[in-house]
């Protein structure tokens, strides 16, 4: 169910929908902007920088941050929330916007 909600939210985000998607009461949706300004995604070094930014934002959106224990970061990185958040951000890469949004749907 979490995957469906995350996928649907990402789809609406990409489509520029101006209405909210209702998530189950026991989940929380977190969106974090990631700048891709001054980065050329066709340049391998810039692409690595952007993927690190996306990964960091996905970890944060899904419940970990820079102060979390390594075990927590590993668990979040292996979660469906993280996978869906990264996939949603990657689909936005070819847009002309200077930033993209990483969205995670996580349990409370």
């Amino acid at each position: 169910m979490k995957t469906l909600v995350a996928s649907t939210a990402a789809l609406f985000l990409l489509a520029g929908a101006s209405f909210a998607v209702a998530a189950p009461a026991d989940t929380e949706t977190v969106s974090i902007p990631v700048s891709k300004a001054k980065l050329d995604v066709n340049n391998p070094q810039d692409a690595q920088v952007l993927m690190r930014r996306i990964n960091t934002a996905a970890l944060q959106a899904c419940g970990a941050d820079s102060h979390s224990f390594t075990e927590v970061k590993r668990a979040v990185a292996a979660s469906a929330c993280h996978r869906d958040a990264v996939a949603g951000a990657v689909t936005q890469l070819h847009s002309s916007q200077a930033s993209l949004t990483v969205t995670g749907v996580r349990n409370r």
Side-chain angles (χ1 to χ4, degrees):
M1 182 64 183
K2 290 187 286 185
T3 303
L4 176 62
V5 172
S7 299
T8 304
L11 179 62
F12 287 134
L13 180 64
L14 290 174
S18 60
F19 50 90
V21 176
D26 62 339
T27 63
E28 177 180 23
T29 302
V30 178
S31 296
I32 299 173
V34 175
S35 175
K36 64 178 186 176
K38 299 182 183 178
L39 294 176
D40 176 7
V41 295
N42 296 316
N43 176 320
Q45 291 154 334
D46 285 355
Q48 283 183 337
V49 168
L50 186 56
M51 285 308 298
R52 277 194 301 270
R53 290 179 187 175
I54 290 170
N55 183 60
T56 300
L59 285 171
Q60 185 178 359
C62 294
D65 62 28
S66 61
H67 302 292
S68 295
F69 289 111
T70 302
E71 294 82 7
V72 172
K73 291 178 185 177
R74 283 187 191 135
V76 171
S79 71
C81 175
H82 185 272
R83 181 190 65 235
D84 294 342
V86 170
V90 169
T91 60
Q92 297 174 53
L93 287 178
H94 299 293
S95 73
S96 60
Q97 297 174 334
S99 66
L100 50 92
T101 304
V102 175
T103 303
V105 178
R106 60 185 178 193
N107 292 328
R108 288 188 183 188

